[in-house]
Amino acid sequence: MDPASTTPSAFERPFPALTPAQRYRLDVMGYVIVPDVLSREECGLVAEALQKIKRDLQSPRQRRPQEPYASINLPHHTYVGGLLEGDPCLAALATHPTLAGLAEELIGGEARLVEYDAHINSRVPGADLATPPTFGFHRGTDVPFSSHAMHGLYHCSFVKTLTMLTDVGPNDGGTVVIAGSHKLAGNDAEVNACAYADRSLIHSVVAPAGATLLFDETLVHATGQVRSDRERVIVINGYGASMFPHWNRCGMSEAFRAKVPERFRTLLLGKAHWTRGARYRTLTQPADTRRFTLKDGWWPGASP
Ligand SMILES: O=C(O)CCC(=O)C(=O)O
């Protein structure tokens, strides 16, 4: 028997996914913007799927637990969760090898997808654009619990990738972060006060469609203020260490689970035990520059 025919193919993803300079920036700032993760065409495909879901959410009807749901459903802001079974391209994005590789580099081990949602938002009607804005700053986990260092590099056990599907210019409400806050344990109100006292500490994401913002969930962050007439569309994929639970209502149907091929099981279903597949880079290790596309991710109906 040909051994290759019985060996399940591996989940190919880049390691390390970042260049040394990108890794340095991530360490110092707590975030990095990686360009060209999706092509323009792929952005169009995913954005169209989200707009379809948004339209569907306007009609009141009974929904299955695994269907997309709106946490915010306002004319200027749809925050939609439960995307995995909403459209094949959304599952393909959540399992995109580049996103998994980025997450794993920052986690320092195997990743499990724990969150998958999206924001479609535009300017708040009547917003006061003359006064410097305040933001809903938060972090998804605390510094002492979720941080560790290896080879002098910072790692976090819960990380996010935010992929822009529209161009995000300086007035388009890009994610705001308090640079460096991923290493500052303690009172968030004090951290926020420092940032408002010196607003140059608040960095605002400006990035073209197809770029991905990678950040530690220990980094203080928030949605920015849309000042332009443009709509912002982003997809959020959150990843944790492989034994982590889902962040929010992120259920998968039994039918979906049953179809997940072996090579995507850790990423999609996690692992019950604590051997977390630790894997670390050094700063100077060159990036794995292999290019991946949405078709390299997985969705129900993809070939096993
Ligand atoms: O809207 C954004 O850009 C920020 C998203 C956010 O706050 C989060 O993912 O926790």
Side-chain angles (χ1 to χ4, degrees), residues 139-183:
R139 12 183 166 209
T141 187
D142 62 284
V143 177
F145 176 73
S146 288
S147 309
H148 70 279
M150 183 61 80
H151 306 317
L153 299 175
Y154 179 91
H155 295 279
C156 184
S157 50
F158 177 28
V159 309
K160 284 271 180 74
T161 62
L162 272 50
T163 302
M164 319 307 135
L165 302 179
T166 49
D167 292 327
V168 178
N171 290 318
D172 297 337
T175 312
V176 285
V177 305
I178 302 182
S181 56
H182 60 304
K183 293 183 183 170

mmCIF file of all heavy atoms in Angstrom, residues 139-183:
data_model
loop_
_atom_site.group_PDB
_atom_site.id
_atom_site.type_symbol
_atom_site.label_atom_id
_atom_site.label_comp_id
_atom_site.label_asym_id
_atom_site.label_seq_id
_atom_site.Cartn_x
_atom_site.Cartn_y
_atom_site.Cartn_z
ATOM 1 N N ARG A 139 -9.717 45.171 26.666
ATOM 2 C CA ARG A 139 -8.849 44.068 26.250
ATOM 3 C C ARG A 139 -9.604 42.771 26.510
ATOM 4 O O ARG A 139 -10.461 42.718 27.400
ATOM 5 C CB ARG A 139 -7.500 44.014 26.948
ATOM 6 C CG ARG A 139 -7.256 44.866 28.158
ATOM 7 C CD ARG A 139 -5.814 44.700 28.638
ATOM 8 N NE ARG A 139 -5.417 45.728 29.579
ATOM 9 C CZ ARG A 139 -4.169 46.157 29.713
ATOM 10 N NH1 ARG A 139 -3.214 45.655 28.980
ATOM 11 N NH2 ARG A 139 -3.869 47.086 30.591
ATOM 12 N N GLY A 140 -9.260 41.726 25.749
ATOM 13 C CA GLY A 140 -10.005 40.466 25.864
ATOM 14 C C GLY A 140 -9.428 39.537 26.904
ATOM 15 O O GLY A 140 -10.041 38.525 27.247
ATOM 16 N N THR A 141 -8.234 39.850 27.397
ATOM 17 C CA THR A 141 -7.630 39.018 28.432
ATOM 18 C C THR A 141 -6.592 39.869 29.162
ATOM 19 O O THR A 141 -6.184 40.915 28.659
ATOM 20 C CB THR A 141 -6.996 37.738 27.823
ATOM 21 O OG1 THR A 141 -6.575 36.878 28.874
ATOM 22 C CG2 THR A 141 -5.812 38.038 26.913
ATOM 23 N N ASP A 142 -6.189 39.416 30.343
ATOM 24 C CA ASP A 142 -5.292 40.272 31.123
ATOM 25 C C ASP A 142 -3.829 39.859 30.941
ATOM 26 O O ASP A 142 -3.522 38.714 30.603
ATOM 27 C CB ASP A 142 -5.698 40.285 32.603
ATOM 28 C CG ASP A 142 -5.607 38.915 33.228
ATOM 29 O OD1 ASP A 142 -6.494 38.088 32.978
ATOM 30 O OD2 ASP A 142 -4.625 38.647 33.945
ATOM 31 N N VAL A 143 -2.965 40.813 31.169
ATOM 32 C CA VAL A 143 -1.538 40.643 30.855
ATOM 33 C C VAL A 143 -0.897 39.501 31.650
ATOM 34 O O VAL A 143 -0.246 38.623 31.057
ATOM 35 C CB VAL A 143 -0.774 41.982 31.064
ATOM 36 C CG1 VAL A 143 0.718 41.819 30.804
ATOM 37 C CG2 VAL A 143 -1.369 43.069 30.174
ATOM 38 N N PRO A 144 -1.066 39.436 32.989
ATOM 39 C CA PRO A 144 -0.340 38.378 33.719
ATOM 40 C C PRO A 144 -0.780 36.975 33.319
ATOM 41 O O PRO A 144 0.048 36.070 33.202
ATOM 42 C CB PRO A 144 -0.686 38.642 35.192
ATOM 43 C CG PRO A 144 -1.266 40.001 35.237
ATOM 44 C CD PRO A 144 -1.831 40.301 33.884
ATOM 45 N N PHE A 145 -2.062 36.783 33.061
ATOM 46 C CA PHE A 145 -2.551 35.430 32.751
ATOM 47 C C PHE A 145 -2.145 34.996 31.344
ATOM 48 O O PHE A 145 -1.776 33.852 31.123
ATOM 49 C CB PHE A 145 -4.077 35.367 32.890
ATOM 50 C CG PHE A 145 -4.640 34.026 32.481
ATOM 51 C CD1 PHE A 145 -4.465 32.919 33.290
ATOM 52 C CD2 PHE A 145 -5.307 33.873 31.274
ATOM 53 C CE1 PHE A 145 -4.960 31.675 32.916
ATOM 54 C CE2 PHE A 145 -5.803 32.632 30.885
ATOM 55 C CZ PHE A 145 -5.618 31.530 31.712
ATOM 56 N N SER A 146 -2.231 35.912 30.386
ATOM 57 C CA SER A 146 -2.140 35.490 28.983
ATOM 58 C C SER A 146 -0.806 35.736 28.304
ATOM 59 O O SER A 146 -0.662 35.430 27.126
ATOM 60 C CB SER A 146 -3.237 36.192 28.175
ATOM 61 O OG SER A 146 -4.478 35.636 28.498
ATOM 62 N N SER A 147 0.157 36.315 29.025
ATOM 63 C CA SER A 147 1.438 36.650 28.385
ATOM 64 C C SER A 147 2.547 35.707 28.827
ATOM 65 O O SER A 147 2.581 35.281 29.970
ATOM 66 C CB SER A 147 1.888 38.050 28.808
ATOM 67 O OG SER A 147 0.876 38.986 28.618
ATOM 68 N N HIS A 148 3.451 35.428 27.924
ATOM 69 C CA HIS A 148 4.727 34.825 28.311
ATOM 70 C C HIS A 148 5.770 35.204 27.263
ATOM 71 O O HIS A 148 5.415 35.739 26.202
ATOM 72 C CB HIS A 148 4.619 33.302 28.479
ATOM 73 C CG HIS A 148 4.417 32.540 27.202
ATOM 74 N ND1 HIS A 148 3.190 32.407 26.591
ATOM 75 C CD2 HIS A 148 5.306 31.868 26.422
ATOM 76 C CE1 HIS A 148 3.313 31.668 25.492
ATOM 77 N NE2 HIS A 148 4.594 31.333 25.364
ATOM 78 N N ALA A 149 7.037 34.965 27.575
ATOM 79 C CA ALA A 149 8.108 35.315 26.642
ATOM 80 C C ALA A 149 8.928 34.073 26.320
ATOM 81 O O ALA A 149 9.066 33.169 27.145
ATOM 82 C CB ALA A 149 9.010 36.382 27.257
ATOM 83 N N MET A 150 9.409 34.023 25.096
ATOM 84 C CA MET A 150 10.329 32.951 24.682
ATOM 85 C C MET A 150 11.302 33.550 23.681
ATOM 86 O O MET A 150 10.874 34.303 22.787
ATOM 87 C CB MET A 150 9.529 31.796 24.065
ATOM 88 C CG MET A 150 10.367 30.609 23.671
ATOM 89 S SD MET A 150 11.257 29.833 25.047
ATOM 90 C CE MET A 150 9.983 28.839 25.783
ATOM 91 N N HIS A 151 12.571 33.240 23.823
ATOM 92 C CA HIS A 151 13.638 33.827 22.991
ATOM 93 C C HIS A 151 13.519 35.351 22.986
ATOM 94 O O HIS A 151 13.743 36.000 21.952
ATOM 95 C CB HIS A 151 13.564 33.310 21.548
ATOM 96 C CG HIS A 151 13.562 31.816 21.423
ATOM 97 N ND1 HIS A 151 14.400 30.996 22.162
ATOM 98 C CD2 HIS A 151 12.824 30.984 20.648
ATOM 99 C CE1 HIS A 151 14.165 29.733 21.843
ATOM 100 N NE2 HIS A 151 13.213 29.702 20.935
ATOM 101 N N GLY A 152 13.089 35.914 24.107
ATOM 102 C CA GLY A 152 12.999 37.368 24.210
ATOM 103 C C GLY A 152 11.789 37.966 23.511
ATOM 104 O O GLY A 152 11.645 39.191 23.468
ATOM 105 N N LEU A 153 10.902 37.132 22.965
ATOM 106 C CA LEU A 153 9.737 37.657 22.235
ATOM 107 C C LEU A 153 8.465 37.449 23.044
ATOM 108 O O LEU A 153 8.310 36.440 23.742
ATOM 109 C CB LEU A 153 9.603 36.954 20.871
ATOM 110 C CG LEU A 153 10.785 37.138 19.920
ATOM 111 C CD1 LEU A 153 10.588 36.297 18.660
ATOM 112 C CD2 LEU A 153 10.954 38.614 19.560
ATOM 113 N N TYR A 154 7.531 38.387 22.880
ATOM 114 C CA TYR A 154 6.275 38.368 23.633
ATOM 115 C C TYR A 154 5.259 37.430 22.960
ATOM 116 O O TYR A 154 5.103 37.452 21.737
ATOM 117 C CB TYR A 154 5.704 39.795 23.670
ATOM 118 C CG TYR A 154 4.384 39.920 24.392
ATOM 119 C CD1 TYR A 154 4.332 40.196 25.761
ATOM 120 C CD2 TYR A 154 3.183 39.761 23.710
ATOM 121 C CE1 TYR A 154 3.126 40.310 26.423
ATOM 122 C CE2 TYR A 154 1.963 39.878 24.365
ATOM 123 C CZ TYR A 154 1.945 40.146 25.726
ATOM 124 O OH TYR A 154 0.745 40.256 26.371
ATOM 125 N N HIS A 155 4.564 36.650 23.769
ATOM 126 C CA HIS A 155 3.504 35.772 23.251
ATOM 127 C C HIS A 155 2.249 35.960 24.071
ATOM 128 O O HIS A 155 2.301 36.300 25.256
ATOM 129 C CB HIS A 155 3.942 34.311 23.303
ATOM 130 C CG HIS A 155 5.099 34.036 22.403
ATOM 131 N ND1 HIS A 155 4.949 33.820 21.053
ATOM 132 C CD2 HIS A 155 6.433 34.002 22.652
ATOM 133 C CE1 HIS A 155 6.139 33.648 20.510
ATOM 134 N NE2 HIS A 155 7.058 33.757 21.456
ATOM 135 N N CYS A 156 1.108 35.726 23.416
ATOM 136 C CA CYS A 156 -0.183 35.927 24.070
ATOM 137 C C CYS A 156 -1.078 34.749 23.696
ATOM 138 O O CYS A 156 -1.124 34.346 22.523
ATOM 139 C CB CYS A 156 -0.790 37.245 23.572
ATOM 140 S SG CYS A 156 -2.330 37.679 24.385
ATOM 141 N N SER A 157 -1.814 34.216 24.663
ATOM 142 C CA SER A 157 -2.588 33.006 24.371
ATOM 143 C C SER A 157 -3.958 33.297 23.752
ATOM 144 O O SER A 157 -4.703 32.373 23.458
ATOM 145 C CB SER A 157 -2.735 32.157 25.633
ATOM 146 O OG SER A 157 -3.194 32.955 26.686
ATOM 147 N N PHE A 158 -4.303 34.573 23.547
ATOM 148 C CA PHE A 158 -5.546 34.931 22.844
ATOM 149 C C PHE A 158 -5.205 36.106 21.927
ATOM 150 O O PHE A 158 -4.759 37.160 22.407
ATOM 151 C CB PHE A 158 -6.626 35.306 23.859
ATOM 152 C CG PHE A 158 -7.941 35.768 23.270
ATOM 153 C CD1 PHE A 158 -8.379 35.337 22.022
ATOM 154 C CD2 PHE A 158 -8.766 36.630 23.980
ATOM 155 C CE1 PHE A 158 -9.596 35.761 21.490
ATOM 156 C CE2 PHE A 158 -9.984 37.060 23.475
ATOM 157 C CZ PHE A 158 -10.401 36.625 22.214
ATOM 158 N N VAL A 159 -5.389 35.897 20.625
ATOM 159 C CA VAL A 159 -4.979 36.919 19.657
ATOM 160 C C VAL A 159 -6.088 37.131 18.630
ATOM 161 O O VAL A 159 -6.955 36.274 18.448
ATOM 162 C CB VAL A 159 -3.664 36.511 18.932
ATOM 163 C CG1 VAL A 159 -2.585 36.126 19.932
ATOM 164 C CG2 VAL A 159 -3.885 35.384 17.938
ATOM 165 N N LYS A 160 -6.040 38.271 17.977
ATOM 166 C CA LYS A 160 -7.058 38.580 16.955
ATOM 167 C C LYS A 160 -6.396 38.865 15.609
ATOM 168 O O LYS A 160 -5.298 39.437 15.556
ATOM 169 C CB LYS A 160 -7.825 39.847 17.356
ATOM 170 C CG LYS A 160 -8.848 39.674 18.469
ATOM 171 C CD LYS A 160 -10.212 39.287 17.941
ATOM 172 C CE LYS A 160 -11.227 39.109 19.046
ATOM 173 N NZ LYS A 160 -11.673 40.361 19.635
ATOM 174 N N THR A 161 -7.122 38.518 14.560
ATOM 175 C CA THR A 161 -6.795 39.004 13.218
ATOM 176 C C THR A 161 -8.031 39.742 12.719
ATOM 177 O O THR A 161 -9.133 39.202 12.745
ATOM 178 C CB THR A 161 -6.455 37.849 12.255
ATOM 179 O OG1 THR A 161 -7.586 36.997 12.123
ATOM 180 C CG2 THR A 161 -5.249 37.051 12.708
ATOM 181 N N LEU A 162 -7.841 40.984 12.317
ATOM 182 C CA LEU A 162 -8.943 41.775 11.754
ATOM 183 C C LEU A 162 -8.586 42.043 10.297
ATOM 184 O O LEU A 162 -7.576 42.710 10.013
ATOM 185 C CB LEU A 162 -9.098 43.111 12.500
ATOM 186 C CG LEU A 162 -10.011 43.133 13.749
ATOM 187 C CD1 LEU A 162 -9.724 42.040 14.730
ATOM 188 C CD2 LEU A 162 -9.952 44.487 14.432
ATOM 189 N N THR A 163 -9.373 41.497 9.399
ATOM 190 C CA THR A 163 -9.061 41.626 7.969
ATOM 191 C C THR A 163 -9.967 42.674 7.339
ATOM 192 O O THR A 163 -11.199 42.594 7.454
ATOM 193 C CB THR A 163 -9.194 40.255 7.270
ATOM 194 O OG1 THR A 163 -8.307 39.332 7.932
ATOM 195 C CG2 THR A 163 -8.809 40.341 5.802
ATOM 196 N N MET A 164 -9.335 43.675 6.700
ATOM 197 C CA MET A 164 -10.099 44.762 6.062
ATOM 198 C C MET A 164 -10.638 44.270 4.727
ATOM 199 O O MET A 164 -9.869 43.745 3.901
ATOM 200 C CB MET A 164 -9.249 46.007 5.737
ATOM 201 C CG MET A 164 -8.226 46.507 6.711
ATOM 202 S SD MET A 164 -8.747 46.794 8.353
ATOM 203 C CE MET A 164 -7.371 46.026 9.204
ATOM 204 N N LEU A 165 -11.917 44.505 4.523
ATOM 205 C CA LEU A 165 -12.511 44.175 3.222
ATOM 206 C C LEU A 165 -12.748 45.432 2.400
ATOM 207 O O LEU A 165 -13.074 45.365 1.214
ATOM 208 C CB LEU A 165 -13.824 43.409 3.418
ATOM 209 C CG LEU A 165 -13.665 42.114 4.209
ATOM 210 C CD1 LEU A 165 -15.003 41.428 4.392
ATOM 211 C CD2 LEU A 165 -12.684 41.173 3.519
ATOM 212 N N THR A 166 -12.645 46.586 3.062
ATOM 213 C CA THR A 166 -12.707 47.873 2.372
ATOM 214 C C THR A 166 -11.415 48.621 2.707
ATOM 215 O O THR A 166 -10.787 48.336 3.733
ATOM 216 C CB THR A 166 -13.911 48.702 2.881
ATOM 217 O OG1 THR A 166 -13.889 48.712 4.318
ATOM 218 C CG2 THR A 166 -15.240 48.136 2.409
ATOM 219 N N ASP A 167 -11.049 49.571 1.862
ATOM 220 C CA ASP A 167 -9.890 50.415 2.194
ATOM 221 C C ASP A 167 -10.233 51.224 3.433
ATOM 222 O O ASP A 167 -11.320 51.812 3.512
ATOM 223 C CB ASP A 167 -9.578 51.365 1.029
ATOM 224 C CG ASP A 167 -9.065 50.626 -0.193
ATOM 225 O OD1 ASP A 167 -8.386 49.596 -0.021
ATOM 226 O OD2 ASP A 167 -9.365 51.077 -1.323
ATOM 227 N N VAL A 168 -9.310 51.259 4.385
ATOM 228 C CA VAL A 168 -9.552 52.027 5.614
ATOM 229 C C VAL A 168 -8.535 53.179 5.650
ATOM 230 O O VAL A 168 -7.343 52.976 5.895
ATOM 231 C CB VAL A 168 -9.433 51.122 6.868
ATOM 232 C CG1 VAL A 168 -9.645 51.940 8.138
ATOM 233 C CG2 VAL A 168 -10.455 49.984 6.809
ATOM 234 N N GLY A 169 -9.029 54.371 5.344
ATOM 235 C CA GLY A 169 -8.189 55.574 5.371
ATOM 236 C C GLY A 169 -8.222 56.204 6.750
ATOM 237 O O GLY A 169 -8.905 55.710 7.663
ATOM 238 N N PRO A 170 -7.529 57.337 6.925
ATOM 239 C CA PRO A 170 -7.413 57.953 8.258
ATOM 240 C C PRO A 170 -8.750 58.382 8.856
ATOM 241 O O PRO A 170 -8.865 58.487 10.070
ATOM 242 C CB PRO A 170 -6.520 59.174 8.015
ATOM 243 C CG PRO A 170 -5.970 59.031 6.646
ATOM 244 C CD PRO A 170 -6.751 58.017 5.896
ATOM 245 N N ASN A 171 -9.778 58.619 8.032
ATOM 246 C CA ASN A 171 -11.081 59.053 8.570
ATOM 247 C C ASN A 171 -12.142 57.965 8.525
ATOM 248 O O ASN A 171 -13.333 58.243 8.681
ATOM 249 C CB ASN A 171 -11.578 60.283 7.785
ATOM 250 C CG ASN A 171 -10.736 61.497 8.091
ATOM 251 O OD1 ASN A 171 -10.374 61.728 9.254
ATOM 252 N ND2 ASN A 171 -10.390 62.262 7.069
ATOM 253 N N ASP A 172 -11.707 56.729 8.266
ATOM 254 C CA ASP A 172 -12.682 55.656 8.019
ATOM 255 C C ASP A 172 -12.920 54.752 9.223
ATOM 256 O O ASP A 172 -13.460 53.644 9.092
ATOM 257 C CB ASP A 172 -12.230 54.817 6.815
ATOM 258 C CG ASP A 172 -12.189 55.643 5.538
ATOM 259 O OD1 ASP A 172 -12.889 56.673 5.472
ATOM 260 O OD2 ASP A 172 -11.438 55.268 4.608
ATOM 261 N N GLY A 173 -12.508 55.201 10.412
ATOM 262 C CA GLY A 173 -12.877 54.470 11.629
ATOM 263 C C GLY A 173 -12.076 53.210 11.880
ATOM 264 O O GLY A 173 -12.579 52.264 12.507
ATOM 265 N N GLY A 174 -10.824 53.184 11.413
ATOM 266 C CA GLY A 174 -9.974 52.017 11.673
ATOM 267 C C GLY A 174 -9.841 51.745 13.171
ATOM 268 O O GLY A 174 -9.957 52.671 13.996
ATOM 269 N N THR A 175 -9.593 50.507 13.500
ATOM 270 C CA THR A 175 -9.389 50.093 14.898
ATOM 271 C C THR A 175 -8.364 51.020 15.568
ATOM 272 O O THR A 175 -7.347 51.356 14.954
ATOM 273 C CB THR A 175 -8.829 48.652 14.923
ATOM 274 O OG1 THR A 175 -9.619 47.842 14.053
ATOM 275 C CG2 THR A 175 -8.818 48.071 16.320
ATOM 276 N N VAL A 176 -8.641 51.424 16.802
ATOM 277 C CA VAL A 176 -7.659 52.208 17.546
ATOM 278 C C VAL A 176 -7.063 51.338 18.660
ATOM 279 O O VAL A 176 -7.764 50.497 19.227
ATOM 280 C CB VAL A 176 -8.274 53.500 18.151
ATOM 281 C CG1 VAL A 176 -8.495 54.553 17.086
ATOM 282 C CG2 VAL A 176 -9.568 53.227 18.898
ATOM 283 N N VAL A 177 -5.783 51.536 18.916
ATOM 284 C CA VAL A 177 -5.116 50.755 19.959
ATOM 285 C C VAL A 177 -4.250 51.697 20.795
ATOM 286 O O VAL A 177 -3.823 52.745 20.307
ATOM 287 C CB VAL A 177 -4.204 49.645 19.355
ATOM 288 C CG1 VAL A 177 -4.972 48.752 18.401
ATOM 289 C CG2 VAL A 177 -2.985 50.232 18.649
ATOM 290 N N ILE A 178 -4.004 51.297 22.033
ATOM 291 C CA ILE A 178 -3.034 52.043 22.854
ATOM 292 C C ILE A 178 -1.711 51.287 22.729
ATOM 293 O O ILE A 178 -1.555 50.173 23.260
ATOM 294 C CB ILE A 178 -3.494 52.179 24.314
ATOM 295 C CG1 ILE A 178 -4.868 52.873 24.362
ATOM 296 C CG2 ILE A 178 -2.449 52.936 25.125
ATOM 297 C CD1 ILE A 178 -5.429 53.110 25.749
ATOM 298 N N ALA A 179 -0.808 51.885 21.957
ATOM 299 C CA ALA A 179 0.443 51.197 21.610
ATOM 300 C C ALA A 179 1.201 50.791 22.865
ATOM 301 O O ALA A 179 1.324 51.576 23.814
ATOM 302 C CB ALA A 179 1.301 52.106 20.732
ATOM 303 N N GLY A 180 1.660 49.554 22.884
ATOM 304 C CA GLY A 180 2.500 49.071 23.990
ATOM 305 C C GLY A 180 1.733 48.607 25.221
ATOM 306 O O GLY A 180 2.325 48.056 26.147
ATOM 307 N N SER A 181 0.405 48.785 25.229
ATOM 308 C CA SER A 181 -0.367 48.460 26.436
ATOM 309 C C SER A 181 -0.434 46.950 26.702
ATOM 310 O O SER A 181 -0.825 46.528 27.791
ATOM 311 C CB SER A 181 -1.781 49.045 26.347
ATOM 312 O OG SER A 181 -2.425 48.595 25.176
ATOM 313 N N HIS A 182 -0.043 46.133 25.712
ATOM 314 C CA HIS A 182 -0.077 44.678 25.908
ATOM 315 C C HIS A 182 0.910 44.220 26.979
ATOM 316 O O HIS A 182 0.828 43.083 27.432
ATOM 317 C CB HIS A 182 0.212 43.956 24.582
ATOM 318 C CG HIS A 182 1.550 44.273 23.987
ATOM 319 N ND1 HIS A 182 1.960 45.555 23.709
ATOM 320 C CD2 HIS A 182 2.592 43.465 23.624
ATOM 321 C CE1 HIS A 182 3.170 45.538 23.184
ATOM 322 N NE2 HIS A 182 3.574 44.274 23.136
ATOM 323 N N LYS A 183 1.847 45.096 27.366
ATOM 324 C CA LYS A 183 2.807 44.703 28.406
ATOM 325 C C LYS A 183 2.520 45.406 29.728
ATOM 326 O O LYS A 183 3.244 45.243 30.693
ATOM 327 C CB LYS A 183 4.230 45.002 27.937
ATOM 328 C CG LYS A 183 4.632 44.112 26.755
ATOM 329 C CD LYS A 183 6.056 44.343 26.310
ATOM 330 C CE LYS A 183 6.359 43.487 25.087
ATOM 331 N NZ LYS A 183 7.640 43.826 24.469
#
